[in-house]
Amino acid sequence: MKKSTIFIAALVIIGLWAISAYNGMVGIQEEATNAAANVQSAYQRRADLIPNLVETVKGYATHEENTLKEVVEARAKATAITIDPSNCTPEQLQAYQEAQGQLGQALGKLLAVSESYPDLKANENFMDLQKQLEGTENRINEARNKYNAVVTDYNSQIRAFPKNIFAKIFGFNVMEKFAADANAQNAPSVKF
C-alpha cells in the first residue's frame, strides 16, 4: 500500500509539474507572439508614417520653393526692365509697373509664408520628419529587442531538459530571432 501511495503521489507530482510546464510554455509563447505582433505594428507605423510625412513636408517645401522661385523670377523680371525717365513711353512704364507689381505680389506671398512659418518652417518640417523617423526607428528597435529577449526565454524553456520532452510532444518549436538585415549597413534614403 505504501508503494502504491508513493507511486500515485509521484504521478500526481509529475502530472502537476507537466501541467505547470505546459502552461508556462504556452504563456511564454504567447508573450513571444505578442512581441512579434508589436514588431509588425511598429513596422506598419513606419510604413504608414513615412509616406504621409514625406508628402506633408514635400507639400510645404514645394509651396515655399514655388514662392521663392516666384520671388526670384519676379525680381529678375523687375530688374531687367529699366526705364529712362527722359524718354519713357507709357508702354515701358506699364511694363515696369507690372513687373514691380508681380515682385510685390511674390514678396507678399513670401511674407505670408514667413509670417505663418517664422523660422521658415520647412526646416522645422524636415527636422520633424527626421524626429518622427528616428522615433519610429527607435520603436522598431525596442520592439525587436523585446521580441528577441522573449524568444530567448521561450527557446531556453523549450530546449532545457526535461521540458524539451514535453515541448516536443506538444509541438513547441524553436522560434527565430530578428537579426540585422544584410542591407542594414546601408542607410535608407528619403528623397524630396
Side-chain angles (χ1 to χ4, degrees), residues 80-148:
I81 300 174
T82 57
I83 55 166
D84 182 3
S86 62
N87 61 358
C88 181
T89 66
E91 292 79 26
Q92 288 174 331
L93 186 56
Q94 178 72 22
Y96 182 77
Q97 288 176 334
E98 282 181 17
Q100 294 299 327
Q102 288 173 357
L103 179 57
Q105 287 177 339
L107 285 172
K109 287 180 185 178
L110 181 62
L111 290 175
V113 166
S114 65
E115 285 176 13
S116 299
Y117 309 102
D119 299 325
L120 286 178
K121 299 285 185 170
N123 291 339
E124 284 190 32
N125 286 329
F126 286 113
M127 288 173 57
D128 186 47
L129 174 62
Q130 231 174 355
K131 286 178 189 176
Q132 291 286 338
L133 290 174
E134 183 179 317
T136 300
E137 291 300 327
N138 286 338
R139 287 180 185 192
I140 290 168
N141 188 47
E142 288 300 314
R144 285 175 58 143
N145 287 342
K146 172 130 171 86
Y147 172 81
N148 283 345

Side-chain angles (χ1 to χ4, degrees), residues 25 35 39 42 51 57 122 126 143 152 155 169 190:
M25 288 185 287
V39 171
V57 172
F126 286 113
T152 297
N155 287 345
I169 291 169
V190 178

